[in-house]
């Protein structure tokens, strides 16, 4: 069981991103991290929300941390490459 329904927090993040409520999506993913910890998926979501808020440096730092913590996660490297194309 995930504390404070982390899965629902993640679904909330996806809904907010779809609605282009990036500030609220960032809050949702940060709450998910606080309550459920870091996973590659959650860290990628965190980086994407930061990127949409034009906080690219912070987004890349999140992805560097993700790659360091989860070196076998192929999606992390791909997300970092995508961020590099943004700037």
């Amino acid at each position: 069981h995930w504390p404070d329904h982390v899965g629902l927090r993640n679904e909330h993040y996806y809904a907010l991103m779809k609605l282009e409520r990036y500030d609220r999506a960032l809050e949702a993913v940060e709450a998910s991290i606080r309550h459920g910890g870091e996973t590659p998926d959650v860290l990628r979501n965190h980086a994407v929300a930061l990127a949409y808020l034009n906080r690219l440096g912070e987004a890349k730092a999140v992805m560097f941390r993700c790659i360091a913590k989860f070196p076998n996660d192929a999606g992390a490297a791909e997300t970092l490459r995508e961020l590099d194309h943004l700037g």
Side-chain angles (χ1 to χ4, degrees), residues 1 3 10 16-17 22 25-26 32-33 37-38 47-50 57 59 63 78-80 83 85:
H1 122 289
N10 293 337
L16 290 166
M17 289 297 288
Y22 307 125
L26 180 62
S32 178
I33 291 168
E38 294 180 336
V48 169
L50 287 165
M63 290 317 304
E78 179 60 31
T79 300
L80 184 57
L83 292 174
H85 289 291

Side-chain angles (χ1 to χ4, degrees), residues 43-44 47 59-68 75-76 79-80 83:
L43 290 172
R44 284 195 302 272
K60 288 180 180 181
V62 167
M63 290 317 304
F64 285 129
R65 187 171 75 245
C66 182
I67 290 168
T79 300
L80 184 57
L83 292 174

Side-chain angles (χ1 to χ4, degrees), residues 26 30 45-56 58-59 62:
L26 180 62
E30 288 175 344
N45 293 346
H46 191 198
V48 169
L50 287 165
Y52 272 90
L53 290 168
N54 296 314
R55 294 167 58 180
L56 199 53
E58 291 171 78
V62 167

Side-chain angles (χ1 to χ4, degrees), residues 3-23:
D4 289 323
H5 305 286
V6 171
L8 291 176
R9 291 181 188 274
N10 293 337
E11 292 302 318
H12 188 217
Y13 160 83
Y14 290 119
L16 290 166
M17 289 297 288
K18 194 168 213 156
L19 293 170
E20 299 181 5
R21 297 291 311 273
Y22 307 125
D23 55 337

